[in-house]
Every structure is written in structure tokens, then in C-alpha cells.
Amino acid sequence: MNDPIIYDFAAVGIGPFNLSLAAMAHSVPEIKSIFFDQAEGFDWHPGMMLQDATLQTPFMCDLVTMADPTHPMTFLNYKKRQGRLYSFYIRESFYLLRQEYNRYCQWACEQMDNLRWNHRVERTCYLDDEQCYELYVKDMNSGQVKTIKAKNLVLGTGTKPYFPECAKPLSKEANVLHSSDYLTRKDQLQQLSSITVVGSGQSAAEVYYDLLQDIDSFDYELNWVTRSPRFFPLELSKLTLEMTSPDYVDYFFALPDEKRQALIKNQKNLYKGINSELIDDIFNLLYTKYEKLDQQARPLKVNLTTNTSLNGVKKTLHNFELDLKNIESEQEFIVSTQGLVLSTGYHYQRPEFLDGINQEIRYRADGMYDVDREYNIAKKDNIFVQNAELHTHGFVSPDLGMVCYRNAHIMNAIMGQEIYPIEEQIAFQSFGSVEQNSEGQTPGQFRKVALGE
């Protein structure tokens, strides 16, 4: 079955980034777009949908506000339509509950007719005579395959849970799991005598805090192991937040590649840190639990270990033995645990349906996409990427606060005109060498003065 329409673009994957693009496209009648996802519907990280967990970005980082605050699918409009705007106002917090954000996105999905759930893109080819891409898409319910033509593609297939190499052989074990599956297996974990969380970011902290709340009820040993030299907070000071900006993306993109990669390694506290309030909550809860328990009769069995790498995992009769090494002292030791939660993040995985158009894609020598400034990886007609450009555009790539900015670039490039205005200079500070001053520049950009003037 063939769809007779040639779409302006087809997008694969409907996570928050492509859902934002869908909302932005939906409000422009002249744009013909279609989105596919093999899932049954939108459900954002259900395995980590903890009751009190919040986003680490303010509510303005919704699907559309930063591109168009008057858009009908803003978060504030959602709250108004739910009759909950005053409650949100009285709560006085910029940071949405994760469950709240998930429901908002599900509401936005209901407003659109360009989303196709339960549809998997099987393969793709390029039609030279029509100068467009052809997608073979399988309806997961009926099994029917239909073809879709589009002038441009947008890849929003997301990232996959990452298992360290040493733990991959045990990834199917009942008591070894990635944090993305935490809630579905929490009850099972809490029946064990010992649980170890490995990881250094927000997910690891949330899992540890959640398990710590019930430690006196279940009487398990609870360990937290991280490579990081400390449990570092996410940096949220104002001038640092200016780095989450168009200015910094321009600066980062223009750097030599070796400089970019070195920066990414040293900027983890800018996008992989822990909410500082959660760090304090963990300490306060540890203090409370310690005081509550009779330490002589029933000690609090907790361990928090920094500067420590996981080098191996071995299954024994009843436990798993973790081969650990202190990075600074180089001391090696073993921790025995019945349960293992790997909060080790996510990594990008190139989708197989690109095989038919692989020759149309630009790659770097290291095998990663060669992403241009407009988020395009194609040699000729456009193939845009969402959250696959950390190596070229910097730490803001996975940030919800920059999703509208990236999508405005993508929309404008696809249509060849300004659909959404893009703010280019917002920072008071200069990230590189100061530029020649000109009328209309921001306060952070100054006139260069030659020595001797």
C-alpha cells in the first residue's frame, strides 16, 4: 500500500524531542509531516517514574514554549485545560514532577493527527528520480507494510540503556537490571538481603534514595558505588546556565574536534550531576535512619563508595561478586551483593533501517555522524538528528531546554524559510574571543582593542 502524499518530512521515533517537533509542525498548516514509533503510545521512562521525582529543567522547557509561548500546546495551557493552573501557581516550583510532564506529553499527543503509533520503519531508500526518501513502514497491529515518501528525514530514535561490558553477560539475570527497569522490578529487589547501585548521576541517586526509605522495613544492605570523585551536584548557577544557549552552541561547534571531545569529558557536572536538594535529602534520610535504629541491636547497613570503578561481575551460588578498584589508591576489592542496579546511563544506537541509505549519510573517521550546524547528516537531501550530536554541538544536546531551539533550526532548514524565529545571542558573557562591537549586540560582547591603542 502506498501513501500518495510526499511529505515535507517524516520523523522516526516519538520521544520528547520529536514530539516537540510534531507539535511545532502541527500548528503550521502548510507543513506536511508524519511521525512513526513502534510503541503503543507515549510513556516516558516508566521504569523511573518515581512519585516525587522532578525534571531538572523548568516548566518553560516544555514542547513548544521556547519556540512560541502563544502555542496552544504549552504546559501552562495544559494546566489551564485540566483546571489545575492555580494549584501549579500555588505550588511555587518551576520544576515539574516527572509524572506530570509525562501526562502533559500524552495530552499533547491527543491534540495531533500526524503521529502514528504501533508503526515500525523497516527500511529506507532514496529515490533519485523523485529526489525523496521512501520508507517501508510496518503496522504492528495488522502486519501490513506501506510505503511513505518524504523529502526530508528526522531521526529521533533515542538512546538505549547502557550496560558496562563486564556486566553484559549477566544482563538477563533476574537480579541484575538497568535503572530504566527499576520500578518494574523494585518489589523483587527488596526481597533480597543486599542491593548495590552503580552509577553517578540523577538516576542512581533517585534509586538509592527510594530504596533507602524502606531499608528498616526490609533490612537489606544498601550500597552505592560511583566512579566520580564525589557525589557532585548539577551546576545550576546563572552564569553557568548561560552555557545552555545558542551562543555556547555556536562557540562549541566552531572549536577543533579534539578540544570539543576534551570539553565533553570535563563537563559532566553540567548535564550529568545530581539535583543538590536530592543529595541533601539522601544525607538527611541517612541521618534519620541511623538515629531511628538501635545501632547495637540492628545497625544501618549502608555503604557509599566514590572514586571506584566496576571492573568485573561474577555470579556465585547465591550472589554476584563485584570486582571494584579505587581509581586514586588503585586498591582492588570485592563486594558481594544479591541485587545489582546499573544506573550507567544510555548510549546512541544507529537504527538498522538506515542501511539502505547509508551511502547518503556523512560519517566521521571515528564512525560517528558528521553533523553540520543545522543538525543535518546527509550528503544531499536532509537527514536531521535529535540528541545524536553531543560530539559536535556539546552538552546541551540532551537538554530539554534546548529542544525548541534545535527544532526551530530543523523546521526552518526543511522549509527554506523562517517558520520559527531563532534567538542567536542571549548571553551576557563571551565564550570565545570577544567580537568586534556592533549596534544591537548583547552586553557581553565587547570591542577588541589592539595593543597600543
Side-chain angles (χ1 to χ4, degrees), residues 313-330:
V313 184
K314 182 172 65 176
K315 184 180 179 181
T316 62
L317 185 60
H318 299 294
N319 296 310
F320 299 97
E321 289 188 350
L322 310 183
D323 293 329
L324 303 173
K325 182 178 181 179
N326 184 286
I327 297 169
E328 292 179 345
S329 68
E330 299 187 354

PDB file of all heavy atoms in Angstrom, residues 313-330:
ATOM      1  N   VAL A 313      32.074  -8.496  36.989  1.00  0.00           N
ATOM      2  CA  VAL A 313      30.947  -9.035  37.744  1.00  0.00           C
ATOM      3  C   VAL A 313      30.951 -10.546  37.548  1.00  0.00           C
ATOM      4  O   VAL A 313      30.995 -11.027  36.418  1.00  0.00           O
ATOM      5  CB  VAL A 313      29.596  -8.460  37.275  1.00  0.00           C
ATOM      6  CG1 VAL A 313      28.472  -8.984  38.163  1.00  0.00           C
ATOM      7  CG2 VAL A 313      29.606  -6.944  37.272  1.00  0.00           C
ATOM      8  N   LYS A 314      30.892 -11.283  38.663  1.00  0.00           N
ATOM      9  CA  LYS A 314      30.896 -12.742  38.581  1.00  0.00           C
ATOM     10  C   LYS A 314      29.741 -13.297  39.391  1.00  0.00           C
ATOM     11  O   LYS A 314      29.486 -12.871  40.519  1.00  0.00           O
ATOM     12  CB  LYS A 314      32.225 -13.290  39.115  1.00  0.00           C
ATOM     13  CG  LYS A 314      32.347 -14.808  39.030  1.00  0.00           C
ATOM     14  CD  LYS A 314      33.760 -15.263  39.393  1.00  0.00           C
ATOM     15  CE  LYS A 314      34.087 -14.965  40.838  1.00  0.00           C
ATOM     16  NZ  LYS A 314      35.423 -15.492  41.254  1.00  0.00           N
ATOM     17  N   LYS A 315      29.029 -14.254  38.818  1.00  0.00           N
ATOM     18  CA  LYS A 315      27.921 -14.891  39.517  1.00  0.00           C
ATOM     19  C   LYS A 315      28.427 -16.038  40.373  1.00  0.00           C
ATOM     20  O   LYS A 315      29.184 -16.891  39.916  1.00  0.00           O
ATOM     21  CB  LYS A 315      26.890 -15.397  38.498  1.00  0.00           C
ATOM     22  CG  LYS A 315      25.649 -15.999  39.145  1.00  0.00           C
ATOM     23  CD  LYS A 315      24.657 -16.487  38.104  1.00  0.00           C
ATOM     24  CE  LYS A 315      23.429 -17.100  38.780  1.00  0.00           C
ATOM     25  NZ  LYS A 315      22.459 -17.603  37.783  1.00  0.00           N
ATOM     26  N   THR A 316      28.009 -16.073  41.626  1.00  0.00           N
ATOM     27  CA  THR A 316      28.307 -17.199  42.518  1.00  0.00           C
ATOM     28  C   THR A 316      26.993 -17.938  42.797  1.00  0.00           C
ATOM     29  O   THR A 316      25.973 -17.666  42.169  1.00  0.00           O
ATOM     30  CB  THR A 316      28.952 -16.715  43.818  1.00  0.00           C
ATOM     31  OG1 THR A 316      28.023 -15.858  44.509  1.00  0.00           O
ATOM     32  CG2 THR A 316      30.233 -15.931  43.534  1.00  0.00           C
ATOM     33  N   LEU A 317      26.994 -18.838  43.751  1.00  0.00           N
ATOM     34  CA  LEU A 317      25.816 -19.655  44.004  1.00  0.00           C
ATOM     35  C   LEU A 317      24.608 -18.807  44.400  1.00  0.00           C
ATOM     36  O   LEU A 317      23.501 -19.005  43.882  1.00  0.00           O
ATOM     37  CB  LEU A 317      26.119 -20.682  45.102  1.00  0.00           C
ATOM     38  CG  LEU A 317      24.995 -21.695  45.398  1.00  0.00           C
ATOM     39  CD1 LEU A 317      24.688 -22.510  44.144  1.00  0.00           C
ATOM     40  CD2 LEU A 317      25.398 -22.598  46.557  1.00  0.00           C
ATOM     41  N   HIS A 318      24.805 -17.842  45.301  1.00  0.00           N
ATOM     42  CA  HIS A 318      23.681 -17.042  45.788  1.00  0.00           C
ATOM     43  C   HIS A 318      23.837 -15.548  45.532  1.00  0.00           C
ATOM     44  O   HIS A 318      22.873 -14.794  45.730  1.00  0.00           O
ATOM     45  CB  HIS A 318      23.500 -17.252  47.304  1.00  0.00           C
ATOM     46  CG  HIS A 318      23.209 -18.670  47.681  1.00  0.00           C
ATOM     47  ND1 HIS A 318      22.056 -19.324  47.325  1.00  0.00           N
ATOM     48  CD2 HIS A 318      23.957 -19.573  48.390  1.00  0.00           C
ATOM     49  CE1 HIS A 318      22.072 -20.558  47.790  1.00  0.00           C
ATOM     50  NE2 HIS A 318      23.217 -20.745  48.445  1.00  0.00           N
ATOM     51  N   ASN A 319      25.004 -15.100  45.101  1.00  0.00           N
ATOM     52  CA  ASN A 319      25.281 -13.672  44.995  1.00  0.00           C
ATOM     53  C   ASN A 319      25.977 -13.334  43.678  1.00  0.00           C
ATOM     54  O   ASN A 319      26.258 -14.206  42.859  1.00  0.00           O
ATOM     55  CB  ASN A 319      26.175 -13.220  46.159  1.00  0.00           C
ATOM     56  CG  ASN A 319      25.496 -13.372  47.500  1.00  0.00           C
ATOM     57  OD1 ASN A 319      24.370 -12.935  47.691  1.00  0.00           O
ATOM     58  ND2 ASN A 319      26.189 -14.005  48.446  1.00  0.00           N
ATOM     59  N   PHE A 320      26.277 -12.050  43.550  1.00  0.00           N
ATOM     60  CA  PHE A 320      27.149 -11.565  42.484  1.00  0.00           C
ATOM     61  C   PHE A 320      28.349 -10.905  43.148  1.00  0.00           C
ATOM     62  O   PHE A 320      28.189 -10.133  44.102  1.00  0.00           O
ATOM     63  CB  PHE A 320      26.421 -10.553  41.592  1.00  0.00           C
ATOM     64  CG  PHE A 320      25.220 -11.126  40.899  1.00  0.00           C
ATOM     65  CD1 PHE A 320      23.947 -10.940  41.425  1.00  0.00           C
ATOM     66  CD2 PHE A 320      25.364 -11.866  39.735  1.00  0.00           C
ATOM     67  CE1 PHE A 320      22.832 -11.470  40.795  1.00  0.00           C
ATOM     68  CE2 PHE A 320      24.254 -12.399  39.093  1.00  0.00           C
ATOM     69  CZ  PHE A 320      22.989 -12.209  39.625  1.00  0.00           C
ATOM     70  N   GLU A 321      29.517 -11.227  42.676  1.00  0.00           N
ATOM     71  CA  GLU A 321      30.742 -10.609  43.200  1.00  0.00           C
ATOM     72  C   GLU A 321      31.186  -9.508  42.249  1.00  0.00           C
ATOM     73  O   GLU A 321      31.409  -9.749  41.059  1.00  0.00           O
ATOM     74  CB  GLU A 321      31.845 -11.654  43.360  1.00  0.00           C
ATOM     75  CG  GLU A 321      31.594 -12.620  44.501  1.00  0.00           C
ATOM     76  CD  GLU A 321      32.792 -13.521  44.777  1.00  0.00           C
ATOM     77  OE1 GLU A 321      33.739 -13.525  43.956  1.00  0.00           O
ATOM     78  OE2 GLU A 321      32.778 -14.214  45.810  1.00  0.00           O
ATOM     79  N   LEU A 322      31.292  -8.292  42.784  1.00  0.00           N
ATOM     80  CA  LEU A 322      31.700  -7.133  42.002  1.00  0.00           C
ATOM     81  C   LEU A 322      33.186  -6.882  42.209  1.00  0.00           C
ATOM     82  O   LEU A 322      33.637  -6.696  43.348  1.00  0.00           O
ATOM     83  CB  LEU A 322      30.907  -5.900  42.434  1.00  0.00           C
ATOM     84  CG  LEU A 322      29.375  -6.037  42.513  1.00  0.00           C
ATOM     85  CD1 LEU A 322      28.749  -4.700  42.880  1.00  0.00           C
ATOM     86  CD2 LEU A 322      28.801  -6.567  41.210  1.00  0.00           C
ATOM     87  N   ASP A 323      33.945  -6.915  41.131  1.00  0.00           N
ATOM     88  CA  ASP A 323      35.362  -6.573  41.189  1.00  0.00           C
ATOM     89  C   ASP A 323      35.492  -5.063  41.071  1.00  0.00           C
ATOM     90  O   ASP A 323      35.201  -4.478  40.021  1.00  0.00           O
ATOM     91  CB  ASP A 323      36.128  -7.253  40.049  1.00  0.00           C
ATOM     92  CG  ASP A 323      36.160  -8.760  40.208  1.00  0.00           C
ATOM     93  OD1 ASP A 323      36.148  -9.230  41.356  1.00  0.00           O
ATOM     94  OD2 ASP A 323      36.178  -9.468  39.188  1.00  0.00           O
ATOM     95  N   LEU A 324      35.926  -4.430  42.150  1.00  0.00           N
ATOM     96  CA  LEU A 324      35.983  -2.974  42.212  1.00  0.00           C
ATOM     97  C   LEU A 324      37.423  -2.502  42.407  1.00  0.00           C
ATOM     98  O   LEU A 324      38.261  -3.223  42.940  1.00  0.00           O
ATOM     99  CB  LEU A 324      35.113  -2.457  43.356  1.00  0.00           C
ATOM    100  CG  LEU A 324      33.629  -2.880  43.312  1.00  0.00           C
ATOM    101  CD1 LEU A 324      32.914  -2.453  44.590  1.00  0.00           C
ATOM    102  CD2 LEU A 324      32.943  -2.305  42.088  1.00  0.00           C
ATOM    103  N   LYS A 325      37.672  -1.263  41.964  1.00  0.00           N
ATOM    104  CA  LYS A 325      39.011  -0.695  42.120  1.00  0.00           C
ATOM    105  C   LYS A 325      38.904   0.785  42.427  1.00  0.00           C
ATOM    106  O   LYS A 325      38.217   1.528  41.709  1.00  0.00           O
ATOM    107  CB  LYS A 325      39.833  -0.897  40.838  1.00  0.00           C
ATOM    108  CG  LYS A 325      41.255  -0.373  40.939  1.00  0.00           C
ATOM    109  CD  LYS A 325      42.038  -0.650  39.657  1.00  0.00           C
ATOM    110  CE  LYS A 325      43.469  -0.133  39.768  1.00  0.00           C
ATOM    111  NZ  LYS A 325      44.245  -0.425  38.529  1.00  0.00           N
ATOM    112  N   ASN A 326      39.574   1.205  43.490  1.00  0.00           N
ATOM    113  CA  ASN A 326      39.648   2.623  43.797  1.00  0.00           C
ATOM    114  C   ASN A 326      40.575   3.299  42.800  1.00  0.00           C
ATOM    115  O   ASN A 326      41.744   2.912  42.660  1.00  0.00           O
ATOM    116  CB  ASN A 326      40.147   2.851  45.226  1.00  0.00           C
ATOM    117  CG  ASN A 326      40.136   4.311  45.612  1.00  0.00           C
ATOM    118  OD1 ASN A 326      40.971   5.090  45.176  1.00  0.00           O
ATOM    119  ND2 ASN A 326      39.166   4.681  46.438  1.00  0.00           N
ATOM    120  N   ILE A 327      40.065   4.290  42.093  1.00  0.00           N
ATOM    121  CA  ILE A 327      40.808   4.906  40.995  1.00  0.00           C
ATOM    122  C   ILE A 327      42.040   5.656  41.502  1.00  0.00           C
ATOM    123  O   ILE A 327      43.086   5.668  40.846  1.00  0.00           O
ATOM    124  CB  ILE A 327      39.883   5.856  40.210  1.00  0.00           C
ATOM    125  CG1 ILE A 327      38.735   5.047  39.574  1.00  0.00           C
ATOM    126  CG2 ILE A 327      40.650   6.607  39.127  1.00  0.00           C
ATOM    127  CD1 ILE A 327      37.623   5.892  39.002  1.00  0.00           C
ATOM    128  N   GLU A 328      41.950   6.255  42.678  1.00  0.00           N
ATOM    129  CA  GLU A 328      43.068   7.046  43.196  1.00  0.00           C
ATOM    130  C   GLU A 328      44.120   6.180  43.876  1.00  0.00           C
ATOM    131  O   GLU A 328      45.316   6.272  43.575  1.00  0.00           O
ATOM    132  CB  GLU A 328      42.541   8.118  44.153  1.00  0.00           C
ATOM    133  CG  GLU A 328      41.723   9.188  43.449  1.00  0.00           C
ATOM    134  CD  GLU A 328      41.190  10.230  44.398  1.00  0.00           C
ATOM    135  OE1 GLU A 328      41.205   9.994  45.633  1.00  0.00           O
ATOM    136  OE2 GLU A 328      40.756  11.285  43.916  1.00  0.00           O
ATOM    137  N   SER A 329      43.683   5.323  44.800  1.00  0.00           N
ATOM    138  CA  SER A 329      44.649   4.496  45.544  1.00  0.00           C
ATOM    139  C   SER A 329      45.039   3.235  44.785  1.00  0.00           C
ATOM    140  O   SER A 329      46.018   2.574  45.138  1.00  0.00           O
ATOM    141  CB  SER A 329      44.055   4.088  46.896  1.00  0.00           C
ATOM    142  OG  SER A 329      42.970   3.180  46.710  1.00  0.00           O
ATOM    143  N   GLU A 330      44.254   2.901  43.756  1.00  0.00           N
ATOM    144  CA  GLU A 330      44.445   1.692  42.940  1.00  0.00           C
ATOM    145  C   GLU A 330      44.258   0.412  43.754  1.00  0.00           C
ATOM    146  O   GLU A 330      44.655  -0.670  43.335  1.00  0.00           O
ATOM    147  CB  GLU A 330      45.808   1.694  42.242  1.00  0.00           C
ATOM    148  CG  GLU A 330      45.978   2.866  41.291  1.00  0.00           C
ATOM    149  CD  GLU A 330      47.258   2.772  40.465  1.00  0.00           C
ATOM    150  OE1 GLU A 330      48.062   1.858  40.723  1.00  0.00           O
ATOM    151  OE2 GLU A 330      47.433   3.594  39.564  1.00  0.00           O
TER     152      GLU A 330
END
